[in-house]
Amino acid sequence: FDISGLLPYNMMTTLSQTKELFRRADAVCFDVDSTVIKEEGIDELAKFCGVGDAVTEMTRKAMGGSMTFKTALTERLSIIRCSREQVNKLITDHPPQLTPGIRELVDRLHQRNIKVFLISGGFRCIVEHVATQLNIPLHHIYANRLKFYFNGEYAGFDESQPTAESGGKGKVISMLKEQYGFKTVKCIEASSAFIGFGGNVVRQQVKERSSWYVTSFGELLKELEKI
């Protein structure tokens, strides 16, 4: 997801400006995979369904930009073809692992009345589990919805969700600004962001493009202490 187009380039130049904007943010949006949680949800689901290698390879291609996000998602899910039962069992048997420090950071943001949102190209059923652990309201989640037939078999995904598109995260942030009247929304993620997160996976491209690159949530907590 590329949200860099939301601010003019000169507004995202200096580290001190980015830190200042983070401290003054009305809302903070987190990516989920490899950021709020340690793993990539779709890869974990694929492994659980016995098609891990094929899907990991396709994830790598998707991140390299050789296909649109929606195409990559469609193709990966057509390999996985998970049932509702498999998804529920994955969440029960292998719940997503929270990244150290995220709970404390979200608590601190909530204490300061900063709204927290989870915006993910992953699956709502997994993200809801994460949100519940972090006391983030479920209506603050934007993610893709898996669809199942009445017998629980895989039936596709909801293609109308903005998170199913390349650049969908940017659309969600614009929508949030409009809906809530937020002036400053900061996004923290491992793929492409104003604040890049490398605590679980280091992506050189993110490191180069982020105005502020952190490898632990403690660095963000420390910044909030300056208010």
Side-chain angles (χ1 to χ4, degrees):
F1 292 101
D2 184 2
I3 59 163
S4 54
L6 287 179
L7 283 180
Y9 184 72
N10 62 359
M11 276 186 70
M12 42 184 301
T13 44
T14 72
L15 178 61
S16 59
Q17 277 176 318
T18 305
K19 288 183 173 183
E20 172 69 16
L21 283 167
F22 174 65
R23 289 197 302 269
R24 290 194 289 110
D26 308 298
V28 174
C29 299
F30 288 92
D31 189 10
V32 177
D33 293 328
S34 297
T35 303
V36 170
I37 61 173
K38 293 179 179 181
E39 56 275 279
E40 291 281 328
I42 195 163
D43 290 347
E44 293 304 304
L45 184 57
K47 266 188 255 174
F48 191 74
C49 295
V51 289
D53 291 347
V55 169
T56 302
E57 179 55 35
M58 202 166 282
T59 299
R60 200 161 42 241
K61 275 187 197 162
M63 286 182 171
S66 62
M67 59 178 87
T68 67
F69 182 78
K70 186 180 272 186
T71 302
L73 187 59
T74 305
E75 291 193 13
R76 286 179 292 178
L77 281 170
S78 66
I79 296 170
I80 300 170
R81 301 198 67 78
C82 50
S83 65
R84 183 187 274 125
E85 189 185 350
Q86 283 173 312
V87 174
N88 291 340
K89 198 161 164 47
L90 169 73
I91 294 167
T92 308
D93 295 0
H94 301 281
Q97 300 295 301
L98 291 179
T99 300
I102 186 63
R103 205 186 287 273
E104 294 80 359
L105 178 57
V106 170
D107 284 350
R108 188 66 50 84
L109 290 167
H110 280 154
Q111 281 165 19
R112 296 187 183 280
N113 292 320
I114 296 167
K115 300 267 192 297
V116 178
F117 294 85
L118 298 178
I119 310 177
S120 175
F123 308 121
R124 188 178 178 92
C125 45
I126 295 174
V127 177
E128 282 183 354
H129 180 83
V130 174
T132 303
Q133 290 182 76
L134 297 172
N135 297 315
I136 294 171
L138 297 187
H139 68 277
H140 283 197
I141 296 172
Y142 292 84
N144 292 314
R145 292 175 185 272
L146 292 171
K147 296 198 292 195
F148 302 99
Y149 292 111
F150 70 93
N151 64 357
E153 284 179 14
Y154 174 69
F157 65 97
D158 180 356
E159 297 190 23
S160 69
Q161 296 295 317
T163 47
E165 305 276 357
S166 302
K169 214 167 261 182
K171 285 180 195 154
V172 172
I173 291 171
S174 298
M175 199 168 71
L176 291 177
K177 283 183 168 179
E178 211 172 289
Q179 192 179 332
Y180 292 92
F182 295 142
K183 287 187 177 69
T184 307
V185 178
K186 295 308 285 178
C187 194
I188 299 158
E189 54 178 314
S191 51
S192 92
F194 301 134
I195 303 174
F197 182 75
N200 291 311
V201 58
V202 175
R203 296 189 176 116
Q204 199 54 38
Q205 186 189 6
V206 179
K207 203 170 183 178
E208 287 163 9
R209 291 184 59 181
S210 306
S211 331
W212 181 17
Y213 190 77
V214 299
T215 53
S216 82
F217 288 123
E219 293 172 66
L220 298 174
L221 262 174
K222 205 183 290 180
E223 201 56 40
L224 285 177
E225 298 304 327
K226 295 179 183 175
I227 299 175

